[in-house]
Amino acid sequence: MTTTTTPPRPDPASGQQASSAPGQQAPHAPGQQAPHAPGGLAGGDLATRVRADFPLLAREVHGKPLVYLDSASSSQKPAQVLAAMQEYYERHNANVHRGVYTVAEEATHLYEAARGKVARFVGASERATVFTKNVTEAINLVAYGWGLRNLREGDEILVTEMEHHANLVPWQLVAKLTGARIRAIPVTDDFLLDLDALDGLLTGRTRIVAVSAMSNVLGTVNPVAAIAERAHAVGALVVADAAQAVPHLGVTFDDLGADFLGFTGHKMLGPMGIGVLAAREDLLDSMEPFLGGGEMIRDVDIESSTFNDIPWRFEAGTPPVGDAVGLAAAVDYLAGLGMDQVRAHEVEVTGYALKRLAEVDGLRVLGPADLEHRGGAVSFTLGEIHPHDISQVLDEDGIAVRAGHHCAKPLMKRFGVQATTRASFYVYSTTGEVDALVAALDKAKRFFG
C-alpha cells in the first residue's frame, strides 16, 4: 500500500455527509411528492420524523402508494446516503492507496475514515475491520482464510438450523475440503435455539460455531454471547452472522463475544456492494489472504509474494470506495437516530403487526411471540395459498413483501413448509402500512377462495 498523507484541502470526511441530520429537510427529486403511507404515519414518532428522508417511499406502484415491507432483504436509502455518494463521485472519485495527487489522497482519506466510523459503530478494532463485498464474502473469508488452513478430518463445525445459507454453505464447502463434520443446533417448536442441546453438541472436536445473531426468517434474536462463552470453553471460535442484527439492535463486537462478526451495508440504509468483517486482531493477523491480487501485497517476485498488514491484506483489488462512503453516511444516520430508538420503533411496529396478523383467519406466524426475543422480520403462511401468489396479489396494492425460502432451506424443512411470506420493518415503517398489509391479505383470501 502506498503511504498516504492527509489531504491539504478541507477535510472531505466532513464533506462526505449530507448537511441535513436524520429527519431534517432532505432533498427530493423534482416532481416528487412528499413520501406518504396508507393510513397516515401512525405508528411511532420515528417513522413520522424520518419518512421524508427516503425518496423511494414517495413513489406509487400500480397507482397505489408503495408499502415497502422487505427491509430484511434490503433497506431503502435516505437522501443523506445518496447525497454522500454523489458528493464522492462528483468531487473525490479516484482510486485509493495509489496516487499521490490531491484527489487520490482525498479518496484514500474518505475510505479509511469510513472504516474508522464503521468500526466504532460496532465497537470493533479499526485495524481488524475489513471491507468485503457483502456478509457472504465476509464469512467466506473466515471459512477459507481460517477454516481451510486450520480444520482437520474429525473436527466439527457447529451451525444452527436457522442459518442463512451465507453462514452454512461456506462451511459445507470447507468441510468437504478438510474432512471436518458439520452438526447443527436444533430449533425448538417455539422458534428458539435449543440451548439444552448445545452442551451435548459442543465437544473437544468443535472448532467453529457459526450462528446467526438474528434470524432473517423467524426474527429470533439468538443469545450469541452465551453461546460464545460455552463455545470458548471447549476451545471453539465463534462466527456471528449479524446481517440482521447490526441494523436493528445496536450490536457491539465485545458484547456479542464472537471472534468474527459479519454484516452488510445494504440492510442498514447503506448501498449494495459493501459488507464488513470485524474480527479479533490476533486471529486476523494469523490468517493468510483469502483473495490475491493488487493492493494486498508488500512485495512480489515471479514465484512468491509477501503480504500487507491487516486489514488491507484482505482487500485485494480496487475496493468499493464510493460504497464505503455511503456506508459511513448510513452509520451517521443511524447514530443520529440512536439505536435504542431504532429498536424501540421496531418493537412497536412488530408488536402491532403480530396483533393485527393474528386477526387473519388461517394465518400462521413462524417466529417467537415474545418481542424481547425477536426482530422485525415476520414470516407467515396463509392456509394453502402459495407465498408467491400472496406476494403477487399484495403487489397489486403496492405492497412489497418477500416470498420464498429466504435462503434458509433447512429451516423451511424443519417446519415442514416450502416457503413463507415475509413482511419486515425498519425505521420508516408505520402501523398504517401494517393495516394495509392486513387488508390486502384479506383480499388475497377472498381471491383464492
Side-chain angles (χ1 to χ4, degrees), residues 249-294:
L249 298 181
V251 168
T252 64
F253 186 70
D254 286 342
D255 289 345
L256 209 59
D259 302 284
F260 299 98
L261 173 70
F263 56 100
T264 195
H266 71 96
K267 297 181 191 296
M268 53 186 289
L269 309 182
M272 294 181 177
I274 188 163
V276 177
L277 175 68
R280 276 176 39 197
E281 276 195 44
D282 61 321
L283 288 170
L284 207 61
D285 257 329
S286 70
M287 290 163 51
E288 292 293 311
F290 166 48
L291 298 172

Side-chain angles (χ1 to χ4, degrees), residues 168-359:
L168 177 58
V169 177
W171 298 113
Q172 292 173 346
L173 294 171
V174 169
K176 188 175 292 186
L177 293 170
T178 61
R181 175 190 181 198
I182 292 183
R183 306 181 73 188
I185 305 171
V187 177
T188 69
D189 291 341
D190 296 327
F191 310 105
L192 304 175
L193 286 182
D194 185 355
L195 297 182
D196 290 338
L198 182 59
D199 283 334
L201 291 166
L202 282 171
T203 73
R205 292 182 174 179
T206 309
R207 302 296 308 283
I208 288 284
V209 176
V211 57
S212 169
M214 183 196 292
S215 168
N216 68 311
V217 178
L218 307 175
T220 305
V221 177
N222 289 321
V224 176
I227 293 171
E229 183 176 358
R230 291 157 78 170
H232 290 156
V234 300
L237 299 178
V238 175
V239 181
D241 175 356
Q244 298 294 334
V246 166
H248 301 275
L249 298 181
V251 168
T252 64
F253 186 70
D254 286 342
D255 289 345
L256 209 59
D259 302 284
F260 299 98
L261 173 70
F263 56 100
T264 195
H266 71 96
K267 297 181 191 296
M268 53 186 289
L269 309 182
M272 294 181 177
I274 188 163
V276 177
L277 175 68
R280 276 176 39 197
E281 276 195 44
D282 61 321
L283 288 170
L284 207 61
D285 257 329
S286 70
M287 290 163 51
E288 292 293 311
F290 166 48
L291 298 172
E295 269 300 288
M296 44 74 72
I297 55 86
R298 187 177 302 282
D299 193 18
V300 176
D301 291 317
I302 290 297
E303 295 184 347
S304 64
S305 302
T306 57
F307 304 116
N308 208 335
D309 295 332
I310 63 170
W312 306 288
R313 186 190 308 164
F314 299 101
E315 295 179 355
T318 296
V321 184
D323 294 337
V325 170
L327 179 56
V331 164
D332 278 344
Y333 191 91
L334 288 171
L337 297 178
M339 291 307 295
D340 55 339
Q341 294 301 309
V342 172
R343 172 61 175 161
H345 175 72
E346 185 162 286
V347 167
E348 178 187 356
V349 176
T350 305
Y352 184 77
L354 292 176
K355 176 184 174 185
R356 290 297 328 273
L357 290 172
E359 300 168 3

